[in-house]
Amino acid sequence: MASFISTLLFLFLMGGASPAGGQSSELTEPMCYDWGESSEAGVSVLEGESGWLSCPLFSHPSVYNYTSTQSAGHTLFWYRLLQGQDLEEPITSSSRLSKDRERLWLQPATSDDTGQYICMLRNKSSCSKIAMRLTVLRPDEVVRGVDCEPPVAVAATSEYIGLQGGKRLDCPDLQDAAKMADGEPTVTWYHVRRELSMCRQYPFWNNERQQNGASLRFYVMLDSYQGLYFCTVHYQRRGKMLNFTRSINVTAIYPPTVPKYPSILRPPKDLVSPVKPGSKVRLNCTGHFPIIRPDAVPEIWWTVDGKTLDKLADQRFSQTTRQVDYDRGDRFMENVLLIQDFQSEDLNKEFNCSVKNERGFETRRVQLREDVWLPSVELGCGLGVTLLLMLLLFVVYHVFWLELLLLYRSWFGTDERHTDDKEYDVYISYARNSEEEQFVLSTLRRVLENELGYSVCIFDRDSLPGGTITDETLSFVARSRRLLVVVSPGYASQGSQALLELKAGIDGMALGGHLRVILVQYKPVQRHSWVRELRRARVALALVRWQGDKSRELTSRFWKRLRVELPVRRVGREEEEEEEEGGNKEAVLMRLHSQNSTNSQTGLISNTVKDPQKVLNCAS
């Protein structure tokens, strides 16, 4: 561009100089300097609309000014090379093609006007020419966002309006059309919101934006007023109605009252970043740049020891800048400093991120330290496995705690028969009625003796005739390791034998600790109906509930829970030897049977021994 201006200036000066010796320049034909085709001066016009071409030679007023060139004797000529032709032809003014100063007007443009146009500025001693391209588009060739948009061949201009602020919009090129019009042009406005696929023609149904003459006035700018605005200019020239359409992209920005100083969002203050020597290090700097002018370019950069990267003689350092966000005119820029093969001596360098705009400047330092390796993956995996195992063990214990407890007791539990002088493992206390007696004799006694191998004492079965009930009861309870109390609604009435058994068991458990009481709930009992001794026992002891048919199997929860409370029992050689000595016990059983028969005849005892084969050592 500088060479273009200097050449034009040289030709302009040469054109104004006189030939040597004072001879007339009319004797020679001036050489015309051809600048070729200008890529920046291409024009697109919609078919049927008015348009114009401006000679690019006058795009630099400091070199060529139309008024000064005319005064110096220069004349502007127009030529065109239409599409499909090989020869240039001069353009003469007509009702459709007209010249106005440095412009060539097409009122209106047709599809045949497409081609290359040349403007030539010459006088007797100098000549310059430049070409440009004109494209006439049909309406169906114009790309539109939504169907309701009017076709526009010219790129949209941009306007920025502060929120809650005001501004006036003028249709682009309106003043140029007014110079060519025979009267005052009129303007029609449209508003298009592409995200809603919605087009609105003025009026816009509110008082916050109104059309004043040919202009559109914004009194209060809102987010919803953003979008594309189209203005169609209508004017009359030489009896013809002409028009052209332009578009304006309106964007809402933060108002000028908002602080406009730049700020650094990342890295935060006092950040210490761990780095590993020999690795690739990325330092991220993100800055916020409030809008001041739409064309203002924000600045964000890194310095190393006070030097920018272009002055740093180290190819390991490079940076990239990009825009990461755009919010109502405010820009968020990111600059990444990339350090290849980070060295230990780089830790002593000073890394600063800086941002700058027209209002201010800010810088922030990034502190680096060497990253100490920690086996984070290994620790994380180990912790995860540990937590998983703990969770698994918790679930297993929650579901199988009874089985685990029984397994532990079978391995490490102590058989109490080797540590005390008790005769019975279990003494069963229950209410004396037919239903509970049936449960005790046919279920509890059978399983405890036959299936689990415990020695069971039942007063009605194992007591000898002729004794005192109180003394016999206390003796049996004292000679047992467990007192199993079958709790039911009819249990422990005041003064009954069951109450005596319960009191004896609780006293023995509280005083000597040589007896433990087990509560088995055969049927639900209301709390208010419990006697005082039973309430005391319920507070201190766990309750094993019988659940009917669900509890009959030996693998049910009832029997597992009951085995936890009963003494540890292992079936070994001692039990086998006791079974072999069963013949020695038969004589005792025969003697007991004979005595029970005698007592029943004399009426001293009303209860008979129901199963003589199960009485072992209750006789004294």
Side-chain angles (χ1 to χ4, degrees), residues 15 27 34 173 189 194-195 201 212 259 285 368 406 441 445 463 465 469 571 574:
L27 300 178
D34 188 359
D173 303 324
W189 288 90
R194 290 182 176 179
E195 68 274 11
Q201 184 176 354
N212 293 336
C285 179
L368 305 179
L406 290 174
L441 297 178
R445 180 200 60 80
S463 61
I469 294 179
V571 179
E574 295 181 359

Side-chain angles (χ1 to χ4, degrees), residues 283-386:
L283 301 180
N284 186 299
C285 179
T286 304
H288 173 217
F289 298 87
I291 183 171
I292 301 175
R293 292 183 296 106
D295 57 344
V297 179
E299 299 180 54
I300 179 171
W301 70 95
W302 282 94
T303 59
V304 181
D305 287 339
K307 298 179 181 179
T308 57
L309 298 192
D310 56 344
K311 298 179 181 179
L312 193 66
D314 195 336
Q315 300 300 321
R316 296 183 299 116
F317 295 86
S318 62
Q319 63 181 353
T320 57
T321 304
R322 68 185 183 96
Q323 180 175 300
V324 294
D325 198 6
Y326 183 86
D327 180 23
R328 296 183 177 88
D330 289 7
R331 296 185 182 184
F332 296 85
M333 306 295 295
E334 179 186 68
N335 187 298
V336 178
L337 175 63
L338 182 62
I339 308 174
Q340 302 282 353
D341 190 19
F342 191 88
Q343 303 297 325
S344 299
E345 54 267 21
D346 294 333
L347 293 171
N348 301 322
K349 295 180 179 179
E350 182 177 333
F351 297 89
N352 287 314
C353 171
S354 303
V355 294
K356 181 182 179 181
N357 68 358
E358 297 177 358
R359 295 289 179 85
F361 168 83
E362 185 180 356
T363 186
R364 186 169 296 172
R365 181 179 179 181
V366 176
Q367 297 182 8
L368 305 179
R369 65 171 176 82
E370 186 173 355
D371 187 15
V372 180
W373 181 82
L374 291 176
S376 56
V377 176
E378 292 78 359
L379 291 175
C381 293
L383 180 60
V385 172
T386 302

Side-chain angles (χ1 to χ4, degrees), residues 59-78:
S59 59
H60 301 281
S62 61
V63 179
Y64 278 119
N65 180 274
Y66 184 81
T67 303
S68 62
T69 55
Q70 292 295 312
S71 301
H74 289 78
T75 304
L76 182 63
F77 298 94
W78 285 93

